[in-house]
Amino acid sequence: MSDVNGTTIGDTSGLTSTVVFRLGTLGTVVTDRFTREIEGLGLKPKHVGLMAALSLAAVASQQELAARMGVAPSLMVSLADHLEGLGAVRRVRDPRDRRRQVLTLTEEGQGLLERCTSVARTLDEEFVAGLTEKQRKALDEALRVMADRAGLP
């Protein structure tokens, strides 16, 4: 059986058999689910990513965070504005360099991040429910290696 492009459905040599396609598709499904779960908190995944980055570094400039997260500085400003409005981050000028805006995670932000972590762990359990413990460990290790190679934290 073939699809409209003539590719054999179930063909293990086609696009749908590639790691990139499968990870991308799963990533979309997971991101959609996570997004729906956190929207009641007034957050989107990039907000959570920023809070997670701040939790790893006590203090960081908006410019450093934009580079670390791979987003445009203008998006970082928008993300920080939103989180500051929620009381999740504190933004102050660096006394040594007045051009530099420094962000820190507040206690409220830490609480929001913990709630998002709980949501993510619940979704983790749903998505890996069909895997054995050995498969879960192998998946975790494979994802860790791939993230390291991609330069992700």
Side-chain angles (χ1 to χ4, degrees):
M1 180 189 259
S2 297
D3 67 10
V4 293
N5 297 316
T7 303
T8 303
I9 296 175
D11 178 12
T12 59
S13 65
L15 174 66
T16 59
S17 69
T18 66
V19 171
V20 167
F21 184 84
R22 290 184 288 168
L23 280 177
T25 302
L26 283 169
T28 298
V29 170
V30 170
T31 299
D32 288 349
R33 287 283 309 280
F34 185 65
T35 300
R36 282 194 304 273
E37 294 291 330
I38 64 171
E39 69 187 353
L41 300 173
L43 300 171
K44 293 183 179 176
K46 287 203 185 304
H47 296 121
V48 179
L50 174 53
M51 290 189 301
L54 286 171
S55 75
L56 298 173
V59 175
S61 75
Q62 289 181 168
Q63 191 171 18
E64 293 163 350
L65 287 162
R68 189 179 312 158
M69 291 177 62
V71 300
S74 59
L75 177 57
M76 180 55 59
V77 170
S78 175
L79 294 171
D81 285 347
H82 182 79
L83 290 173
E84 188 176 38
L86 293 176
V89 299
R90 185 173 303 109
R91 178 192 279 146
V92 295
R93 292 238 180 248
D94 185 337
R96 294 175 306 233
D97 182 353
R98 301 292 296 159
R99 297 169 295 173
R100 187 172 183 248
Q101 291 274 354
V102 176
L103 299 176
T104 56
L105 192 62
T106 65
E107 191 173 311
E108 177 70 23
Q110 186 60 45
L112 280 172
L113 184 57
E114 288 169 8
R115 290 174 71 185
C116 292
T117 300
S118 177
V119 166
R121 290 195 191 289
T122 298
L123 290 172
D124 275 1
E125 286 305 312
E126 289 179 29
F127 278 94
V128 300
L131 301 179
T132 65
E133 187 61 30
K134 183 177 178 181
Q135 289 171 324
R136 288 179 186 208
K137 287 180 181 178
L139 175 62
D140 184 59
E141 180 59 24
L143 291 173
R144 185 183 337 276
V145 169
M146 293 168 72
D148 285 347
R149 290 185 50 88
L152 299 174

